[in-house]
């Protein structure tokens, strides 16, 4: 691993200082006390690493709104179910740190699994929000794993704001509820999904796809576009819009549809009659990789980056 305070080359001639790497909750709490004393506003960007421009756009948002930005990198075993890709999840700390250095991030929190979940760890945070469908049904225990680690990250970082991507919109609902219900005083900010020019939503898991798989994965964003086009053409029944989205994914060879739905964004229940604010949720598996995507029905996908 790169040393704390080390300099990394960036773009040939420029050199940037690596973020300070903090590995234990106690160390972070000590820093947090200093930040509180000096009146700093802390923004947290929680990640599992393998950083891409989607994460970096959250970092940029945090830097605009907060005086100190902490990025956490931790692949949280608690949120992976049996047979899921915990071991295969991309790990690339060196290049992640270099990217954060280029963006001037000062602190990166990289705890270890034993550090966050020592022997005897016995607490689970279960949040009943974001509905019991879609990711919640597909991945039992996933959101409890997310809520538990996010509660721990909030407790040791003490952020005023925390930044999450829209692609994981059900996760955002869970974290917002967590922050409210436990009086954590954290504003949960949702940053827009960042897409490649061809529509594919950026995800660390895209790295696990072959070139052909990556091409096939575009069917998720095409499904969202299809639902949006149908809506603008006057189709409003939730089931018809859902069918339109699902059929795009079902027609893609090698791709297994997990779910498609048109939902009310307040409770993630399927809508009978859709509005521009309804959310389209899609998920599929290909080459063993679980992918999700979402859009607001009334808004065309933003493709440029
Ligand atoms: O969205 C993610 O990368 C993870 O679910 C999070 C929020 C970092 C918790 O492990």
């Amino acid at each position: 691993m790169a040393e704390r305070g080390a300099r990394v080359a960036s773009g040939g001639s420029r050199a940037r200082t690596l973020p300070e790497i903090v590995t234990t909750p106690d160390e972070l709490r000590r820093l947090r006390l200093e930040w509180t004393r000096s009146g700093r506003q802390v923004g947290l960007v929680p990640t599992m690493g393998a950083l891409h421009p989607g994460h970096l756009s959250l970092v940029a948002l945090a830097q605009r709104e907060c005086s100190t930005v902490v990025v956490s990198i931790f692949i949280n075993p608690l949120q992976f179910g049996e047979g899921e890709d915990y071991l295969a999840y991309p790990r690339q700390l060196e290049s992640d740190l270099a990217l954060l250095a280029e963006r001037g991030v000062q602190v990166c929190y990289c705890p270890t699994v034993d550090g966050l979940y020592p022997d005897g760890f016995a607490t689970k945070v279960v949040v009943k929000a974001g509905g019991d469908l879609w990711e919640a049904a597909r991945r039992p225990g996933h959101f409890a794993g997310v809520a538990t680690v996010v509660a721990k990250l909030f407790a040791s970082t003490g952020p005023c704001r925390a930044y999450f991507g829209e692609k994981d919109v059900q996760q955002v609902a869970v974290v917002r509820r967590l922050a409210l219900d436990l009086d954590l005083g954290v504003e949960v900010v949702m940053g827009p999904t960042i897409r490649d020019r061809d529509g594919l939503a950026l995800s660390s898991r895209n790295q696990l796809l072959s070139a052909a798989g990556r091409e096939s994965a575009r069917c998720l964003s095409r499904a969202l576009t299809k639902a949006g086009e149908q809506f603008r053409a006057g189709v409003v029944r939730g089931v018809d819009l859902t069918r339109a989205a699902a059929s795009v994914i079902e027609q893609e060879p090698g791709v297994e549809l997990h779910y498609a739905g048109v939902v009310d964004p307040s409770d993630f229940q399927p809508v009978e009659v859709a509005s521009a604010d309804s959310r389209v949720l899609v998920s599929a598996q290909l080459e063993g990789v679980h992918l999700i995507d979402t859009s607001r029905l009334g808004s065309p996908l933003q493709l440029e980056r």
Side-chain angles (χ1 to χ4, degrees):
M1 190 202 283
E3 273 171 51
R4 181 180 303 197
R7 310 267 291 166
V8 284
S10 150
S13 55
R14 282 182 309 145
R16 296 291 183 111
T17 306
L18 283 176
E20 178 170 358
I21 299 161
V22 177
T23 55
T24 68
D26 282 348
E27 246 182 293
L28 192 56
R29 249 191 310 274
R30 269 196 294 279
L31 277 177
R32 173 203 169 166
L33 280 177
E34 283 171 31
W35 295 330
T36 308
R37 270 190 223 111
S38 53
R40 301 187 76 83
Q41 294 232 308
V42 179
L44 172 67
V45 183
T47 81
M48 298 204 297
L51 301 181
H52 52 64
H55 295 117
L56 299 176
S57 75
L58 296 177
V59 168
L61 201 55
Q63 285 174 323
R64 281 201 292 278
E65 297 181 348
C66 308
S67 45
T68 295
V69 172
V70 178
V71 175
S72 64
I73 297 183
F74 178 66
I75 304 177
N76 174 34
L78 241 53
Q79 69 188 75
F80 290 79
E82 219 170 291
E84 291 189 357
D85 54 357
Y86 174 64
L87 292 175
Y89 201 87
R91 287 159 168 81
Q92 48 191 56
L93 189 56
E94 291 277 346
S95 54
D96 285 347
L97 292 173
L99 283 172
L100 295 177
E102 275 174 26
R103 266 90 190 157
V105 170
Q106 300 115 321
V107 180
C108 186
Y109 181 38
C110 308
T112 60
V113 172
D114 289 345
L116 278 203
Y117 304 123
D119 276 353
F121 185 83
T123 300
K124 184 156 74 170
V125 181
V126 178
V127 179
K128 295 209 160 97
D132 50 6
L133 298 172
W134 325 116
E135 283 303 278
R138 186 80 220 167
R139 306 181 69 189
H142 169 67
F143 286 129
V146 170
T148 304
V149 79
V150 169
K152 287 173 70 74
L153 294 171
F154 284 5
S156 35
T157 314
C160 329
R161 295 194 190 87
Y163 297 81
F164 297 82
E166 178 187 354
K167 182 172 69 61
D168 298 295
V169 65
Q170 239 184 319
Q171 167 171 278
V172 176
V174 167
V175 174
R176 283 198 168 135
R177 194 73 245 173
L178 166 80
L180 267 177
D181 289 356
L182 298 188
D183 305 318
L184 300 179
V186 182
E187 183 190 342
V188 175
V189 181
M190 182 167 83
T193 302
I194 306 297
R195 300 177 180 279
D196 267 331
R197 276 183 213 290
D198 62 9
L200 183 66
L202 298 190
S203 160
S204 304
R205 288 193 166 94
N206 294 350
Q207 285 189 28
L208 302 172
L209 296 171
S210 68
R214 195 209 160 283
E215 201 50 31
S216 299
R218 290 176 52 207
C219 67
L220 277 84
S221 58
R222 285 207 314 273
L224 301 177
T225 300
K226 179 81 184 179
E229 283 168 359
Q230 295 274 299
F231 177 69
R232 283 189 289 282
V235 179
V236 290
R237 281 191 349 137
V239 283
D240 295 336
L241 294 163
T242 298
R243 184 93 303 278
S247 66
V248 173
I249 296 176
E250 282 164 344
Q251 280 163 31
E252 187 69 34
V255 178
E256 183 196 341
L257 174 73
H258 280 169
Y259 58 74
V262 178
V263 306
D264 182 327
S266 67
D267 58 6
F268 292 87
Q269 292 305 306
V271 292
E272 250 175 67
V273 178
S275 72
D277 270 337
S278 301
R279 230 168 222 290
V280 191
L281 304 175
V282 290
S283 166
Q285 175 140 333
L286 65 158
E287 298 181 338
V289 180
H290 172 70
L291 296 176
I292 61 176
D293 204 350
T294 183
S295 62
R296 182 179 170 274
L297 192 55
S299 311
L301 300 189
Q302 298 295 312
L303 301 188
E304 315 90 57
R305 103 170 144 84

